[in-house]
Amino acid sequence: MTNAERLRHLPAVDQILRQHDVALISDAYSRPQLIAWIRMAVDECRREILRGAKLDKKSAMQCVIRGTLHQCQLEDGRRQTSVINATGILLHTNLGRAPLAARAIQRMVQSAGYANVEMDLRSGKRNHRGERIFDLLAQLTGAEDAVVVNNCAAATILVLQVMAAGKEVIVSRGQLVEIGGGFRLPEVFAASGAVLREVGTTNRTYLRDYEHAIGENTGAIIRVHRSNFFQGGFVTEPDIAELISLGKQRGVPVIDDLGSGCIKDLSKFGLKEPAVTDSVAAGADLALFSGDKLFGGPQAGIVVGKAKLVKLLRRHPMMRALRTDKMTLAAIEATAEIHLSGNPMQELPLLQMLSKTVADVRTDCKRVLERLPAAVANRIEICECTSSVGGGSVPGSQIASCGLVLNVENNDAVAKSFRTGSPAVVPRIHNDAIMLDLRTVDATQLDALAVRVEECLTPGQ
Ligand SMILES: *Cc1c(COP(=O)(O)O)cnc(C)c1O
């Protein structure tokens, strides 16, 4: 039989659509998409025939079905879904940063339909979006007022636009950081229309540098928390209180971009982060932080500070473009309630994971091992390791932890099968081995994790 004759064995698209295996899943994808995949599969099988594959009518059909189902699988793998975070990085930006508290999740679900986002149910009249939430955030931080936007970068742009558009904003050269994803604060600042006035050097900036830079055209002084790296050695910079005192003397507002948004004192975990309350108490005109870092809530940019300034932000036209949706507001409301009157160390997954001792994590490691057949468990060792906070918080943080180290031949292939199965598990590579750091794995996920470990370590998988 010639190749030309074999090519005639390739099935037509609508023939494939009627095949049992394809018909079964066809509802899950749009028809044009499915047809495009079938065409891709037909093309691939045509190439196989031209390369010399001896496909008869039946095997040609199978070839196209297999190719189509493979495309469907690839698509499924791209779907946004929950993952088990076994990296030990608590605020993993690529994994959605802070996991939400159960109470926050519940409130998001409740708000998913119609919700009183902008209505006072007692009077039936319109009120301001987020009113109660801003009150809670003000209470929590000791500030006069608060407002919430889409994320901390948006908060920075809005704040600088309102306070310093067309004017200078004074910032230390030691604080011009890149916040990840290739975004650099100087560029974010510039997007606001403010003119950056850099002072000092990378390692040393003095109060007098700020002082000399203040002039007629100064809009604000901004302090940026170095969120994802730390400086040591021959370094100095004024603290926020000194900047605030200078700002007061010269009538220049001082903005504190905290990023990490530390609410609870975390020093007992060996973590030193500037607290939002300290910044407010010191008299910062505005303090900004992310909702999904140490606050433990959803992605958001939270601005707290002087009532007069917050009011200006709220009225600015950009606010309409940066405002958050009802789901985010619901989650922030619940998270703020937990900080104010709940039990944050237990209710907020982030703080709960942070407060686990090494012994706690080791117990979880043992629980996973106990669920595994001996042949699999024999290839796993429990090892001490270090977790980190990540996500632009607490640079250089190291938290003693414990994890499972897997003895496998091909790290990359096994790591991939962890990531691509269900539920997806994201491990980390440590000393050239796959390691599952259980600090970031919740107790409720241990069963599922054990199933995945068995699956990925069983030959033939
Ligand atoms: C994380 C961080 C940001 C960016 O916050 P997003 O909420 O991700 O936009 C900005 N500034 C600092 C200091 C940060 O740490």
Side-chain angles (χ1 to χ4, degrees):
M1 200 187 293
T2 64
N3 277 349
E5 282 165 333
R6 286 206 180 87
L7 286 176
R8 263 180 258 128
H9 290 154
L10 285 169
V13 169
D14 52 321
Q15 242 179 316
I16 294 293
L17 282 169
R18 285 194 303 269
Q19 292 300 308
H20 183 69
D21 287 353
V22 174
L24 213 58
I25 54 155
S26 62
D27 281 352
Y29 309 95
S30 81
R31 201 164 172 88
Q33 179 68 86
L34 199 56
I35 289 171
W37 288 332
I38 292 172
R39 294 213 168 104
M40 279 167 69
V42 171
D43 285 346
E44 180 52 34
C45 297
R46 177 177 298 119
R47 281 192 291 271
E48 274 187 39
I49 291 172
L50 293 174
R51 281 196 299 262
K54 307 260 181 284
L55 301 185
D56 60 14
K57 205 170 166 70
K58 192 164 162 220
S59 51
M61 173 69 88
Q62 238 120 51
C63 173
V64 176
I65 292 174
R66 214 172 31 242
T68 305
L69 295 181
H70 181 67
Q71 290 300 328
C72 295
Q73 262 174 11
L74 288 181
E75 180 75 356
D76 292 350
R78 297 174 60 205
R79 205 169 269 150
Q80 183 167 306
T81 181
S82 72
V83 306
I84 295 179
N85 174 10
T87 63
I89 300 168
L90 290 144
L91 295 173
H92 199 305
T93 300
N94 304 147
L95 299 180
R97 292 201 184 146
L100 294 179
R103 203 199 295 200
I105 296 169
Q106 204 175 29
R107 295 273 270 283
M108 283 178 96
V109 171
Q110 285 168 0
S111 285
Y114 294 121
N116 58 331
V117 191
E118 291 180 15
M119 183 184 280
D120 178 336
L121 293 178
R122 295 205 320 189
S123 67
K125 294 214 167 75
R126 177 166 181 195
N127 68 4
H128 294 289
R129 174 181 287 246
E131 235 171 28
R132 172 166 189 264
I133 296 153
F134 304 155
D135 287 346
L136 295 179
L137 291 169
Q139 270 180 54
L140 182 61
T141 56
E144 292 173 8
D145 201 356
V147 71
V148 176
V149 291
N150 190 47
N151 58 19
C152 194
T156 313
I157 293 178
L158 177 66
V159 164
L160 289 181
Q161 181 146 75
V162 169
M163 323 258 301
K167 293 187 182 173
E168 286 182 352
V169 54
I170 305 175
V171 63
S172 162
R173 290 198 169 88
Q175 299 173 358
L176 291 173
V177 301
E178 177 171 316
I179 53 178
F183 288 100
R184 295 168 166 189
L185 280 187
E187 289 157 12
V188 174
F189 289 179
S192 72
V195 178
L196 215 55
R197 176 73 186 264
E198 300 173 22
V199 296
T201 59
T202 305
N203 59 331
R204 293 178 82 84
T205 304
Y206 302 96
L207 192 62
R208 64 169 183 270
D209 294 326
Y210 289 90
E211 220 169 335
H212 292 157
I214 295 177
E216 267 183 11
N217 204 26
T218 304
I221 293 173
I222 189 164
R223 195 254 323 230
V224 181
H225 174 46
R226 273 186 294 277
S227 57
N228 45 12
F229 78 111
F230 59 99
Q231 274 193 331
F234 190 54
V235 296
T236 187
E237 64 184 22
D239 64 27
I240 186 74
E242 290 174 291
L243 290 179
I244 289 164
S245 150
L246 174 65
K248 281 219 175 83
Q249 268 172 41
R250 305 290 296 270
V252 176
V254 175
I255 302 160
D256 197 5
D257 180 2
L258 288 158
S260 56
C262 184
I263 303 290
K264 277 258 155 311
D265 178 18
L266 303 176
S267 54
K268 69 175 171 209
F269 306 115
L271 306 177
K272 257 181 64 194
E273 270 296 277
V276 181
T277 45
D278 288 347
S279 189
V280 171
D285 292 277
L286 293 173
L288 333 176
F289 59 98
S290 297
D292 54 359
K293 293 184 180 173
L294 296 175
F295 178 69
Q299 177 187 303
I302 300 173
V303 186
V304 301
K306 301 276 155 67
K308 212 173 72 197
L309 296 177
V310 173
K311 205 168 178 182
L312 287 180
L313 300 180
R314 207 172 272 148
R315 288 187 181 157
H316 193 274
M318 277 283 282
M319 186 62 212
R320 184 61 179 75
L322 301 176
R323 73 179 191 185
T324 46
D325 78 319
K326 59 184 177 177
M327 313 281 275
T328 300
L329 289 173
I332 292 179
E333 184 170 36
T335 309
E337 284 171 12
I338 292 171
H339 279 293
L340 278 166
S341 56
N343 185 346
M345 281 300 165
Q346 273 170 26
E347 282 190 79
L348 293 176
L350 179 77
L351 298 181
Q352 191 263 329
M353 292 187 298
L354 199 54
S355 56
K356 285 196 252 182
T357 64
V358 179
D360 293 336
V361 186
R362 182 181 291 277
T363 307
D364 285 347
C365 289
K366 287 187 184 146
R367 288 204 179 113
V368 172
L369 277 191
E370 280 162 12
R371 287 162 167 80
L372 296 171
V376 174
N378 285 342
R379 296 167 60 198
I380 301 175
E381 245 183 291
I382 298 181
C383 289
E384 302 219 332
C385 63
T386 40
S387 314
S388 62
V389 178
S393 302
V394 210
S397 62
Q398 298 207 319
I399 307 151
S401 185
C402 199
L404 302 170
V405 174
L406 315 182
N407 176 14
V408 294
E409 297 274 299
N410 186 341
N411 283 340
D412 290 344
V414 174
K416 184 177 178 187
S417 63
F418 269 108
R419 290 192 309 269
T420 52
S422 176
V425 176
V426 182
R428 77 160 185 252
I429 303 284
H430 174 76
N431 290 342
D432 262 345
I434 295 183
M435 150 129 210
L436 306 170
D437 182 340
L438 295 204
R439 175 171 298 281
T440 43
V441 177
D442 189 70
T444 58
Q445 298 174 315
L446 295 178
D447 279 330
L449 180 64
V451 170
R452 292 300 330 280
V453 171
E454 183 171 354
E455 197 176 289
C456 295
L457 263 64
T458 304
Q461 293 294 314

